[in-house]
Amino acid sequence: MPLPNPLQAIFTLIVCWLALGGAGLLFPRNLAWVGRVLFPLGAAVAAAIAVCAWFALALPPATATLPVGLPGLPVHLRLDALSAFFLVLIGTASAGVSLYSAGYFRAGEGAAPGLMCLQYHVFLAAMAMLVLTDDAFSFMVAWETMSLASYFLVTTQHRVPEIRSAGFLYLLIASIGALALVLCFGVLQGGTWQFTFDAMRGATLSPVWASVAFALALFGFGAKAGLLPLHVWLPEAHPAAPSPVSALMSGVMLKTAVYGCLRITLDILHVPQWGWGVAVLALGALTGLFGAIFAAVQTDMKRLLAYSSIENIGLIFTGLGLTLLFRALGANTLAALALAGTLYHCINHAQFKSLLFLATGSVLHATGHRNLGRLGGLIHRMPWVAAFALLGTLAMAGLPPLNGFVSEWLLLQAYLFTPTLPPGMINMLVPLGAAAFALTVALAAYVLVKFYGVIFLGRPREATLDHAHDAGWLERCGLAWLGIACIALGLFPAPMLHALDRVNGLLLGSGLGADAATWWAVVPSSAQRAAYSPLAFFGGIALAVLAVFVLVRLIYHGRVRRGDPWNCGGLPQTARMQDTAEGFGQPIRRIFGPVFRIRRQTPSPFDAAPRYALELSDRFWDWIYDPVARAVKAVAARIGVLQRGSIALYLLYSFVTLLVLLAFVL
Amino acid sequence: MRAQDLLLGIFQALLSIAAAPLLLGWVNQCRAWLQNRRGAGVLQPYRVLRKLMHKDAVIAHNASPLFRASPYVQFGAMCLAAAIIPVVSVTAPLAAAADVIALVGLFALARVAIALAGMDIGTAFGSLGARREMMVGFLSEPALLMVFFTASLICGSTLLPVIAGTLAGRAPILYPSLAFAGVAFTMVLLAENARIPIDNPATHLELTMIHEAMALEYSARHMALVEWTSALKLMNFMAIGLALFVPWGLTAATAGPGGLVVGIAATALKLAVAGAGLALIETASAKLRIFRAPEFLATAFLFAVLGLLVHQLLGS
């Protein structure tokens, strides 16, 4: 029996997602139907997509044409290694998120659950279609569907004014980005007026036009990914959205922008110019550092994670920049190393960031607080969530032997192999990039200790936290799925690296080779040069810990007493004496002071009711957004003069316009 | 990998673990001499450990399992580091498990473990210490990475034994880039090990302390492990410094038992000199205010990056 072709299978599964979404409308208010039936089914579909895509990675590209679309431009689909990899990413992460969502939805929160189910599955289907499309038209349709579906999901609780304005900002930046993409495809077709990606691959562009197309693509995809200075929507939209939606947007949707960048720069435009690589590298490094610094001073747990996503996107784009740079200079093996690191970080981020966003969802449900200053000590009340969040935290901090470290290790190796490159200036640039990368990664650990420590450790800062309860079993399953992915990707990187070599082969024409990763170690070039063995690493620590534990047991008498914490002989300690989120971020605020716009209100000695207030904000609002908004308002006021409300006048405008146009024709 | 190499590696790690308190005792003894005191003797850290092992552990009511697990994780991480770093011999069987980048990750793991433990009880001092420790960490970690990058670019490898072996095999010439890296590394060593310009290892209950603030809630066996870990961390950092900047005298894989004795003697001598040097630095300098620590560490980071750029510029 011939096996079904993976492209067909995946397409069918995507249609299944849409059907599940539609089924939500049958009983829109029935939580059991939507939560216990549809969402678990959606998770199964997601897992099936991931499995199909995993097998498709090894197969040659498959194409198909659907008999729908514009006249002369039906929908083209193509499943190659790159899209298969991103389908694996979408499938694995969304399976965990769907499983979690099954237990997450509560009655009376925002829109009807059935409606959410529809929007959620349309969102997933749009993302999966996006990576399958092979022509500009259907790409843009999928892209806009994705943006709109996520907009509706963000504004689920549309009665809250902040959420409405966050949604508006998101939609605005998404639209501007989409506009840039449309222009980019306009340039890419290069006068052939053929809008399939195949035709675009064949079109010849002069270097200048190629750079224009690249810049437009970087702008368009950067707006979705959250590159500086288009990042402002992330910290607004992520806290506004329900937690599973934040998880999907941050973990998965941002990666579709990375996919788009790769598709255009390395596939459609074939050979990049080295200047592009430098630009992306610089932009990525700045974005990463900026995100990490801002994450360190946040007091809202979801805003903190949103800034941390900006940081990770920065790291991913530095990897992309390195790939472009090496590819342009003809160092294909190095480019393969950098690309493998980049894509590995994409899939890692999808797992651990989704995990952490879901954990904040559980905390939010259990306590009703998003502000770190009102949490604390939850490890006692919510041990399961605390355990999985610890896993995600350690993975995201880039600590071995979890998955975040593998990709960082690969990228740092790519930086280290550089000095064989011809132009001298790049040899000086790359170490600076490596320095920024190392600083960002180290700062991430700071951010995550703050995140975990303030939420889960210490003592509860509010009396109400005593009633917090752990997540339900479906939610735990979702968390466990993502947690296991973090461990598996960390301890067994070889299968994923071999799969990534297919993508390398597709995009760069060469890869790391089969010897680069064995089941127990990663060896990108030779064993004398660099090696990392997660299993031996983990085994070493585990063995040492076990040996020490047994030895201490043998020596020590085992008496343990419980007592009050030592209070330095002073007054009794209260939970309010613990470090707050503001306090924990204080060193960063001090060191990177000029980066922030700080408004501080300090009490005077004579105040009857002394009050200290501190507000930190993003300077990009001052530099870019506020001036643009003011300019738009000013122009609108001028143009508003035309609008008089009199029909006769409007008819006159039409008449004059017609006359002017006629003058052109004649 | 030969069984002989594995044994050598385990022997080396055990040697480090056993000798770490001795090194700390020696540094303290030297410091006492430099301050015109008699000192407690080089074996004092062992006495402290023995005393702690006999006491009853007192744990705060609201301590979580993480609090009790943390000392074991820290100690385990440092043991693995000791097995990776070439101390007496360039043969390190576990070297393939972790190169210098993973080594930095290992130190970060230990740091995060103690910082989280510091926040677990929910006292003012614990979280203050955790915050400061992470601040020092995020500045010193990239500097350490840059130092390693310089060395690995010179030797074309990120594996510490290979780096040490390559440098030991060359004539003892001064690499300008390594000189910059050496200064940066010394500064990082002082900061990471809670030594004087950044932290004062000899005081308790001072508002400026970092490491001790996090460990305040520990007692008995846990405290013993925390103390031993910090001694072992100092030992590991010293060994890294010796491997990078004065690698001569490390025995090769094939040297046999005689070579091993030479290697141990050479390392002991170098460690004694380095320990005395550390005591001298600590005696001669004053502790910085905590707000000046970022400047100190930023200087270290800049030196390290400068070393890397000098290497790229001069090719040496």
Side-chain angles (χ1 to χ4, degrees):
Chain A
M1 194 187 87
L3 288 169
N5 148 7
L7 181 56
Q8 271 173 12
I10 289 172
F11 186 73
T12 318
L13 287 166
I14 292 174
V15 175
C16 286
W17 258 343
L18 289 176
L20 284 174
L25 292 181
L26 292 179
F27 309 102
R29 301 239 161 237
N30 188 339
L31 270 177
W33 165 246
V34 173
R36 296 285 187 270
V37 178
L38 294 182
F39 271 97
L41 282 177
V45 172
I49 286 184
V51 171
C52 289
W54 181 259
F55 286 112
L57 265 167
L59 300 175
T63 56
T65 311
L66 298 184
V68 287
L70 288 183
L73 186 60
V75 173
H76 292 77
L77 299 181
R78 179 181 148 105
L79 180 66
D80 56 16
L82 182 63
S83 39
F85 168 75
F86 277 90
L87 282 170
V88 171
L89 186 156
I90 294 170
T92 48
S94 62
V97 177
S98 292
L99 212 51
Y100 177 89
S101 306
Y104 180 80
F105 288 112
R106 302 281 193 277
E109 281 190 3
L115 195 61
M116 291 277 294
C117 173
L118 176 69
Q119 291 159 356
Y120 180 92
H121 285 106
V122 167
F123 182 39
L124 286 180
M127 287 194 288
M129 276 305 286
L130 179 78
V131 299
L132 279 183
T133 54
D134 199 34
D135 65 278
F137 177 71
S138 42
F139 183 90
M140 286 313 298
V141 169
W143 182 262
E144 290 293 59
T145 313
M146 179 179 87
S147 298
L148 276 181
S150 52
Y151 165 75
F152 287 122
L153 286 168
V154 168
T155 53
T156 307
Q157 298 184 346
H158 54 90
R159 291 184 210 291
V160 185
E162 287 86 40
I163 290 184
R164 274 205 305 276
S165 71
F168 171 74
L169 182 65
Y170 170 52
L171 199 60
L172 183 73
I173 290 186
S175 307
I176 294 173
L179 218 62
L181 289 184
V182 170
L183 291 176
C184 169
F185 286 125
V187 175
L188 281 177
Q189 51 83 22
T192 60
W193 298 104
Q194 294 289 313
F195 286 93
T196 60
F197 287 168
D198 251 344
M200 288 181 186
R201 283 185 197 104
T204 42
L205 291 177
S206 68
V208 175
W209 279 114
S211 295
V212 169
F214 165 76
L216 283 168
L218 188 63
F219 184 87
F221 291 121
K224 185 60 86 187
L227 275 188
L228 234 53
L230 299 165
H231 62 279
V232 288
W233 65 269
L234 270 137
E236 305 298 326
H238 285 324
S243 295
V245 175
S246 318
L248 272 192
M249 287 176 68
S250 186
V252 184
M253 187 183 74
L254 301 186
K255 309 305 172 323
T256 60
V258 178
Y259 163 81
C261 263
L262 285 171
R263 179 63 79 193
I264 287 189
T265 49
L266 286 172
D267 185 18
I268 295 180
L269 286 169
H270 315 298
V271 182
Q273 299 167 19
W274 68 266
W276 304 355
V278 174
V280 175
L281 187 60
L283 208 56
L286 281 179
T287 306
L289 211 49
F290 175 90
I293 292 170
F294 268 76
V297 297
Q298 296 309 309
T299 52
D300 175 318
M301 59 184 177
K302 290 180 86 177
R303 276 178 88 90
L304 186 150
L305 289 182
Y307 274 113
S308 152
S309 287
I310 296 177
E311 173 224 319
N312 278 284
I313 282 292
L315 295 183
I316 288 171
F317 272 80
T318 55
L320 185 64
L322 275 187
T323 313
L324 294 176
L325 188 61
F326 294 148
R327 170 80 170 141
L329 297 173
N332 275 352
T333 320
L334 267 180
L337 183 60
L339 186 59
T342 308
L343 293 177
Y344 211 112
H345 200 71
C346 283
I347 197 160
N348 286 342
H349 183 244
Q351 315 301 331
F352 56 63
K353 190 50 72 64
S354 303
L355 176 58
L356 289 181
F357 264 118
L358 297 182
T360 65
S362 292
V363 170
L364 196 59
H365 263 175
T367 65
H369 295 305
R370 240 177 34 209
N371 190 331
L372 291 168
R374 295 175 175 278
L375 297 168
L378 289 178
I379 193 169
H380 302 288
R381 308 275 160 218
M382 315 176 68
W384 282 98
V385 174
F388 289 123
L390 182 62
L391 197 61
T393 309
L394 297 179
M396 188 146 91
L399 296 177
L402 290 167
N403 60 352
F405 182 75
V406 179
S407 47
E408 276 162 19
W409 188 83
L410 287 171
L411 284 174
L412 282 172
Q413 289 294 346
Y415 276 110
L416 270 185
F417 279 88
T418 322
T420 47
L421 292 180
M425 198 189 72
I426 291 174
N427 285 344
M428 307 295 282
L429 262 175
V430 171
L432 291 180
F437 189 92
L439 196 58
T440 310
V441 171
L443 205 46
Y446 186 99
V447 171
L448 289 153
V449 167
K450 165 178 165 169
F451 175 81
Y452 192 80
V454 175
I455 297 178
F456 292 103
L457 301 180
R459 280 185 284 175
R461 291 179 177 77
E462 298 273 316
T464 51
L465 297 184
D466 282 343
H467 308 297
H469 52 86
D470 213 340
W473 66 272
L474 270 171
E475 295 173 66
R476 280 183 219 166
C477 287
L479 292 171
W481 171 281
L482 295 167
I484 289 169
C486 285
I487 296 175
L489 283 169
L491 286 186
F492 305 98
M496 185 47 77
L497 280 173
H498 288 158
L500 285 177
D501 236 19
R502 307 269 180 185
V503 185
N504 284 329
L506 176 82
L507 293 182
L508 306 168
S510 67
L512 295 170
D515 301 336
T518 54
W519 65 270
W520 64 278
V522 188
V523 189
S525 62
S526 75
Q528 280 298 298
R529 173 140 203 173
Y532 167 58
S533 164
L535 272 183
F537 193 98
F538 177 69
I541 291 189
L543 207 69
V545 168
L546 199 69
V548 173
F549 184 75
V550 170
L551 273 177
V552 169
R553 268 288 156 90
L554 289 180
I555 300 170
Y556 190 70
H557 49 69
R559 281 198 291 277
V560 175
R561 278 189 286 137
R562 289 273 178 174
D564 287 329
W566 188 54
N567 63 2
C568 316
L571 296 166
Q573 299 195 17
T574 67
R576 303 256 307 146
M577 291 176 184
Q578 295 175 89
D579 218 349
T580 56
E582 285 93 344
F584 208 89
Q586 185 258 6
I588 304 294
R589 213 166 63 219
R590 231 187 136 95
I591 297 169
F592 296 103
V595 179
F596 307 104
R597 183 175 63 176
I598 301 179
R599 234 176 313 190
R600 196 193 316 246
Q601 184 196 337
T602 42
S604 85
F606 307 105
D607 275 353
R611 192 172 169 277
Y612 173 84
L614 179 84
E615 193 189 335
L616 287 176
S617 49
D618 190 340
R619 280 183 184 270
F620 280 95
W621 282 99
D622 291 356
W623 291 339
I624 299 175
Y625 291 90
D626 288 343
V628 168
R630 274 199 299 278
V632 168
K633 271 188 185 157
V635 171
R638 290 285 167 82
I639 293 174
V641 174
L642 291 175
Q643 195 182 19
R644 295 278 168 173
S646 140
I647 303 245
L649 202 60
Y650 295 156
L651 285 176
L652 183 68
Y653 292 157
S654 313
F655 183 64
V656 171
T657 313
L658 277 178
L659 276 187
V660 170
L661 289 178
L662 269 179
F664 273 106
V665 176
L666 292 179
Chain B
M1 189 199 304
R2 296 176 303 161
Q4 196 183 339
D5 291 352
L6 192 65
L7 279 180
L8 187 61
I10 293 171
F11 168 72
Q12 188 168 279
L14 291 179
L15 198 65
S16 277
I17 296 165
L22 185 65
L23 175 67
L24 195 62
W26 166 246
V27 173
N28 287 341
Q29 182 62 55
C30 288
R31 217 155 61 140
W33 283 335
L34 284 166
Q35 292 166 350
N36 275 335
R37 293 187 286 120
R38 184 126 46 75
V42 289
L43 295 180
Q44 182 62 20
Y46 291 104
R47 288 182 208 121
V48 171
L49 291 178
R50 203 186 64 191
K51 178 188 76 181
L52 287 171
M53 280 312 239
H54 282 93
K55 294 205 164 213
D56 278 12
V58 183
I59 295 172
H61 288 300
N62 65 330
S64 69
L66 192 146
F67 181 77
R68 299 175 71 165
S70 172
Y72 294 97
V73 173
Q74 294 167 40
F75 195 75
M78 283 306 146
C79 290
L80 181 62
I84 291 165
I85 301 164
V87 182
V88 294
S89 149
V90 289
T91 310
L94 268 174
D99 61 352
V100 284
I101 302 175
L103 197 61
V104 173
L106 196 55
F107 287 130
L109 184 68
R111 182 185 314 119
V112 167
I114 190 165
L116 287 178
M119 296 183 82
D120 188 52
I121 306 294
T123 59
F125 271 124
S127 45
L128 192 81
R131 179 214 291 187
R132 289 174 171 170
E133 171 82 357
M134 292 315 288
M135 179 189 83
V136 168
F138 101 78
L139 288 164
S140 65
E141 191 184 307
L144 188 59
L145 261 183
M146 290 296 124
V147 169
F148 285 152
F149 276 18
T150 310
S152 61
L153 283 179
I154 291 173
C155 305
S157 170
T158 57
L159 298 166
L160 206 46
V162 179
I163 295 175
T166 313
L167 287 176
R170 292 187 189 170
I173 52 165
L174 184 72
Y175 289 94
S177 52
L178 270 189
F180 277 111
V183 174
F185 181 80
T186 312
M187 294 168 89
V188 168
L189 183 142
L190 294 172
E192 283 270 342
N193 288 288
R195 308 309 295 190
I196 257 203
I198 300 296
D199 193 0
N200 190 346
T203 62
H204 284 267
L205 262 201
E206 191 195 348
L207 267 176
T208 52
M209 66 191 173
I210 302 175
H211 179 265
E212 296 296 333
M214 290 184 292
L216 265 180
E217 287 299 323
Y218 279 118
S219 55
R221 54 180 169 174
H222 301 123
M223 192 64 201
L225 281 179
V226 170
E227 297 257 311
W228 206 334
T229 305
S230 65
L232 188 52
K233 189 173 178 185
L234 181 66
M235 178 81 182
N236 282 337
F237 263 86
M238 290 272 193
I240 292 173
L242 297 183
L244 286 184
F245 305 111
V246 269
W248 300 281
L250 290 176
T251 52
T254 49
L260 202 59
V261 172
V262 173
I264 292 175
T267 304
L269 188 69
K270 284 190 287 185
L271 277 177
V273 173
L278 177 64
L280 190 63
I281 292 176
E282 283 202 275
T283 311
S285 54
K287 195 185 156 311
L288 290 171
R289 285 172 70 213
I290 190 80
F291 298 132
R292 302 295 297 276
E295 290 170 30
F296 179 83
L297 287 163
T299 313
F301 183 53
L302 283 181
F303 268 122
V305 175
L306 213 58
L308 199 57
L309 289 178
V310 163
H311 170 81
Q312 299 290 51
L313 209 60
L314 303 179
S316 63

